[in-house]
Amino acid sequence: MSRPDAAGHRAIGHTADVRIESWGPTRDAALAEAVTALADSYARWPTDAVPVKVVVEMAAGSDEELLVAVLDEAVFLADARGLVAVAARVAGGVATFACLPASTVDVVGACPKGVAWNDLVCAATDDGWRCAATIDV
Amino acid sequence: MLTLTEQTPYRWRVERCDGMRVPGIVFASRRLLPEPGDASLRQLANVAMLPGIVVASYAMPDVHWGYGFPIGGVAATDVARGGVGSPGGVGFDISCGVRLLLAPQEHDELRPHLGARMDALDRAVPRGLGTGGVWRLSGREELDDLLREGARYAVRRGHGVERDLDRCEDGALADADPREVSERALERGLGQVGSLGSGNHFLEVQVVDEVYDDARAAAFGLSVGRVCVMIHCGSRGLGHQVCTDHVKRMLAVMARYGITVPDKQLACAPVESAEGAAYLAAMAAAANYGRANRQLLSEAARGAWQAVLGTRELDLLYDVSHNLAKIETHDVDGRPRRLCVHRKGATLALPPHHPDLPADLASHGQPVLVPGSMGTASYVLSGVAAGPAFSSTCHGAGRVMSRHAAARRVDGRALRDALQAGGVAVRASSYRGLAEEAPESYKDVDEVVLTCEHAGLARRVARLRPIGVVKG
């Protein structure tokens, strides 16, 4: 699939809950965009909000495993710590999540609970990288 | 290429191909067959490739595209012959299920109090993102007790009455071992006992709308006009984390057992392996959490009832899961076999006189609770003898439209107004969340349950109509 150099994301229709897709010029950019795609699937937040940073070392081997690890961490932060990761930076196997307290975001959809391995994508394309994942809510 | 053959108007066969060890069987009317673009038949075929699977890979009438297993799938593996256990065959929300509480009141008696009652439920039921439940546990030790004993522990601590336990599918799952539940799962679970979550979970006030089987309805306490409370939810973040952790663990060891699967979400290990046993022990702990969660929400509903009507009387008819794997004995080729029966979006439906049924229900079969969509109906069915899919039936209406599409097509505020105009009081966390659950997102639940009856999976007992909805 061809995508422009800029990073971006979207939601895709799937009857098993929620499917998200992201893309970017590099793997780490597409992974970071996937975190925003996840947040965008269920929350809205003020653009001027000041996030807190949460830094997590990712234990993952393959690109797909890294995608699951990054999204799982974002799910965990929201579900257990009440922190909605609205953006991220991924570099060198370390993810830095920009998080807003759940009390400061507007929850507009079903909240994510798990990341499925079915049809998981984290792969290079002709002009960048693409990620896609199905999220259980 | 899958070949679908009509065996009866309500039963279709997917012929074996591409590594399938058994055929697929779909219980559906022609109209309920999966639509083009829905990958559930491919997923049904993938499940048929699991080591040790016996007889067939089954799809219930509400089947739809899931991940790994189709949602509405049933598969049994022969434990003694290398049969596998698969976390994906249970799903993320372990022991997601339904309980139905019966109120002493008739609809007419409650009508003047509906708004106040819904406001009380709205305040009493924690839901939405993250932490916050009815019951704040003191710490890990208490959570361990709850994971071992489930609803029994909740009742022992004063959250319910002994009769509640008699009407839970199987009391508590005895093989639960909290040591197989990770720290992350425990952290997610600690603050969520007695919470609804979001998505398709709900607490509804319903009225018995129609009775199809007078004798069974009377035995179940269902009469036209009687008010009920239906609770649909599961094991919250803890159950999801257990699934996540054990899929990962099984992916790492499958090669050691010579197992390959066409979809990583079907990751599995022999039931009798260390990894298989660990998963089933953790799954049982999560299932107990799910039952305790529904127990606490029952108590929250009773509290809201008391606040408005001065009585806590809400008697549990039954509590049953639709995401679970259980070790059961069934006849296969004329011989009893010990099977690991996975029900992913499918409900146990024990036949009359099954030893696991409470004595006062034994001659009628197990009550099967089928939640429909808002604004339509839910059903109470009963298990029947000689059910063709290891005593299983549907679990709901079955989704046909994605959340994404529903949110784009449906205006949540207009939906709420339409429901209220139709006599359904709505208390929702968000308008978009409400839109995602719009009735048109689902199959026709009336046709789904009628198909179950025609296919010999279960018998219709009563139809329930919602009059109040609390949505996560």
Side-chain angles (χ1 to χ4, degrees):
Chain A
M1 176 184 284
S2 182
R3 290 283 176 201
D5 287 343
H9 66 265
R10 63 172 183 159
I12 308 170
H14 194 298
T15 56
D17 297 346
V18 171
R19 187 160 172 83
I20 56 171
E21 182 186 27
S22 67
W23 54 90
T26 65
R27 183 194 68 172
D28 290 349
L31 286 167
E33 195 67 28
V35 172
T36 306
L38 184 72
D40 210 20
S41 73
Y42 71 100
R44 297 289 175 268
W45 56 92
T47 50
D48 58 350
V50 181
V52 294
K53 284 185 181 174
V54 176
V55 181
V56 184
E57 197 166 326
M58 296 287 125
S62 68
D63 297 327
E64 284 188 351
E65 286 170 357
L66 188 56
L67 173 60
V68 171
V70 167
L71 291 176
D72 269 345
E73 194 62 38
V75 168
F76 177 77
L77 287 170
D79 199 45
R81 305 272 169 85
L83 293 171
V84 177
V86 298
R89 196 169 68 83
V90 181
V94 174
T96 304
F97 297 94
C99 300
L100 297 174
S103 57
T104 66
V105 307
D106 191 12
V107 176
V108 296
C111 306
K113 291 291 190 303
V115 182
W117 287 86
N118 172 244
D119 284 339
L120 193 71
V121 179
C122 181
T125 61
D126 290 345
D127 55 359
W129 279 72
R130 174 178 171 258
C131 297
T134 305
I135 309 298
D136 188 272
V137 299
Chain B
M1 183 70 179
L2 299 176
T3 306
L4 195 62
T5 308
E6 183 173 1
Q7 295 187 301
T8 76
Y10 302 100
R11 181 182 169 119
W12 305 73
R13 181 183 168 98
V14 179
E15 302 298 340
R16 283 177 61 184
C17 65
D18 300 338
M20 292 169 67
R21 297 166 194 261
V22 292
I25 298 290
V26 183
F27 298 101
S29 61
R30 188 174 287 274
R31 207 161 73 89
L32 289 177
L33 281 174
E35 295 182 351
D38 179 307
S40 55
L41 293 185
R42 181 68 258 169
Q43 294 181 328
L44 184 78
N46 289 345
V47 171
M49 299 178 196
L50 290 177
I53 188 169
V54 294
V55 190
S57 168
Y58 292 104
M60 300 295 110
D62 53 332
V63 69
H64 65 93
W65 185 18
Y67 26 81
F69 271 58
I71 296 169
V74 176
T77 59
D78 189 332
V79 174
R81 298 184 180 195
V84 294
S86 172
V90 171
F92 280 100
D93 197 0
I94 295 166
S95 191
C96 184
V98 186
R99 62 168 46 194
L100 189 69
L101 301 151
L102 306 177
Q105 296 89 2
E106 298 280 314
H107 186 197
D108 286 345
E109 293 172 64
L110 279 195
R111 211 185 298 268
H113 307 286
L114 182 63
R117 191 182 53 226
M118 293 309 299
D119 289 340
L121 287 169
D122 191 24
R123 289 190 296 272
V125 178
R127 54 201 195 273
L129 177 65
T131 57
V134 173
W135 190 8
R136 289 208 66 78
L137 298 178
S138 59
R140 291 288 173 83
E141 204 171 310
E142 190 164 35
L143 180 56
D144 273 9
D145 289 341
L146 184 139
L147 294 176
R148 285 196 182 88
E149 296 183 52
R152 185 170 304 284
Y153 181 69
V155 170
R156 193 151 66 76
R157 295 297 311 273
H159 302 290
V161 294
E162 193 67 24
R163 185 183 181 280
D164 293 338
L165 303 175
D166 297 337
R167 294 302 185 93
C168 285
E169 182 180 343
D170 46 21
L173 288 174
D175 299 332
D177 188 348
R179 290 172 301 182
E180 299 293 353
V181 178
S182 70
E183 284 297 312
R184 281 168 83 89
L186 294 171
E187 185 175 342
R188 289 176 75 172
L190 195 56
Q192 296 183 341
V193 184
S195 62
L196 199 58
S198 60
N200 62 357
H201 295 157
F202 65 74
L203 183 150
E204 279 190 1
V205 181
Q206 304 171 336
V207 175
V208 180
D209 192 41
E210 194 170 354
V211 163
Y212 304 94
D213 181 327
D214 289 336
R216 283 185 170 77
F220 292 176
L222 301 166
S223 55
V224 171
R226 187 168 188 180
V227 172
C228 316
V229 175
M230 181 175 275
I231 298 169
H232 175 212
C233 64
S235 51
R236 308 284 286 113
L238 182 141
H240 285 75
Q241 191 66 46
V242 166
C243 179
T244 294
D245 294 338
H246 286 263
V247 166
K248 194 172 168 186
R249 187 169 173 186
M250 288 188 178
L251 281 172
V253 301
M254 278 196 305
R256 189 193 308 163
Y257 296 108
I259 296 173
T260 54
V261 290
D263 177 342
K264 285 186 175 176
Q265 195 65 26
L266 293 175
C268 55
V271 170
E272 294 197 320
S273 67
E275 294 80 12
Y279 170 65
L280 289 178
M283 182 213 71
N288 285 340
Y289 185 99
R291 285 126 192 239
N293 190 35
R294 290 193 286 277
Q295 180 65 32
L296 266 294
L297 289 174
S298 303
E299 285 294 283
R302 285 167 174 155
W305 228 251
Q306 170 115 46
V308 178
L309 296 160
T311 170
R312 291 176 60 82
E313 195 178 341
L314 284 173
D315 291 338
L316 181 58
L317 168 58
Y318 210 67
D319 179 305
V320 66
S321 305
H322 48 231
N323 281 357
L324 206 61
K326 296 176 90 168
I327 304 299
E328 301 171 3
T329 300
H330 294 269
D331 281 354
V332 177
D333 298 329
R335 297 213 326 268
R337 300 260 188 88
R338 202 165 151 259
L339 306 177
C340 181
V341 184
H342 301 75
R343 296 184 180 87
K344 169 72 193 89
T347 313
L348 180 71
L350 296 174
H353 309 297
H354 192 283
D356 289 350
L357 287 173
D360 53 344
L361 297 179
S363 62
H364 300 284
Q366 178 210 306
V368 176
L369 310 173
V370 180
S373 61
M374 288 180 302
T376 57
S378 296
Y379 277 84
V380 179
L381 314 180
S382 68
V384 294
F390 305 112
S391 298
S392 310
T393 190
C394 70
H395 87 305
R399 203 166 181 105
V400 286
M401 192 194 299
S402 71
R403 292 181 176 281
H404 181 61
R408 280 191 304 175
R409 289 183 203 176
V410 179
D411 179 325
R413 196 181 296 264
L415 173 62
R416 184 206 57 182
D417 292 346
L419 287 167
Q420 303 226 135
V424 184
V426 178
R427 302 292 184 271
S429 296
S430 75
Y431 286 120
R432 194 182 112 177
L434 195 66
E436 289 178 359
E437 290 296 316
E440 52 264 50
S441 303
Y442 288 88
K443 296 182 186 183
D444 177 354
V445 69
D446 296 331
E447 183 164 356
V448 167
V449 296
L450 187 61
T451 299
C452 288
E453 189 164 286
H454 286 314
L457 296 165
R459 177 199 305 271
R460 288 180 304 165
V461 175
R463 185 179 196 269
L464 313 174
R465 175 172 55 84
I467 57 172
V469 180
V470 177
K471 283 294 298 176

